[in-house]
Amino acid sequence: LVDGSFPPSVIIHATHDSLKVESEFFADRLDLRRVPYLHYPAGGIAARHAFPINTRCGDGKRGLEATVKFLDKYVNKAEERNENV
């Protein structure tokens, strides 16, 4: 159930992922509920469902960096409020 209390989320799928449609549908649901999210369509030969496998270079590295940057923003906010993260 996606509502306003749903946590910030990261959606990663490969360009030719068999679950690409479901990932895009989930992003639409998050949009409707105004839940913050990062939608990262990964390409390249090493991209797989849920995360690029090679995170040392190329698209995998960019995907990991974008994910850390996005989530760090919310972890820092929670720490400032003394919430468990």
Side-chain angles (χ1 to χ4, degrees), residues 35-54:
V35 174
Y37 69 94
L38 168 68
H39 186 189
Y40 192 85
I45 195 165
R48 297 291 181 265
H49 173 71
F51 210 81
I53 292 174
N54 182 357

Side-chain angles (χ1 to χ4, degrees), residues 25-75:
F25 179 82
F26 184 51
D28 289 342
R29 293 295 148 273
L30 295 176
D31 268 338
L32 287 173
R33 300 295 185 209
R34 296 192 171 144
V35 174
Y37 69 94
L38 168 68
H39 186 189
Y40 192 85
I45 195 165
R48 297 291 181 265
H49 173 71
F51 210 81
I53 292 174
N54 182 357
T55 57
R56 291 185 182 192
C57 59
D59 200 45
K61 183 177 181 180
R62 288 187 296 275
L64 180 59
E65 289 169 350
T67 298
V68 169
K69 183 178 177 180
F70 174 80
L71 293 177
D72 190 50
K73 180 171 39 173
Y74 295 99
V75 169

Side-chain angles (χ1 to χ4, degrees), residues 16-29:
H16 301 289
D17 196 328
S18 60
L19 296 176
K20 179 181 175 184
V21 172
E22 287 83 353
S23 297
E24 292 169 343
F25 179 82
F26 184 51
D28 289 342
R29 293 295 148 273

Side-chain angles (χ1 to χ4, degrees), residues 1 3-6 18 33-34 45 62 75-76 82-83:
L1 178 65
D3 60 17
S5 66
F6 202 84
S18 60
R33 300 295 185 209
R34 296 192 171 144
I45 195 165
R62 288 187 296 275
V75 169
N76 286 335
N82 292 321
E83 294 178 3

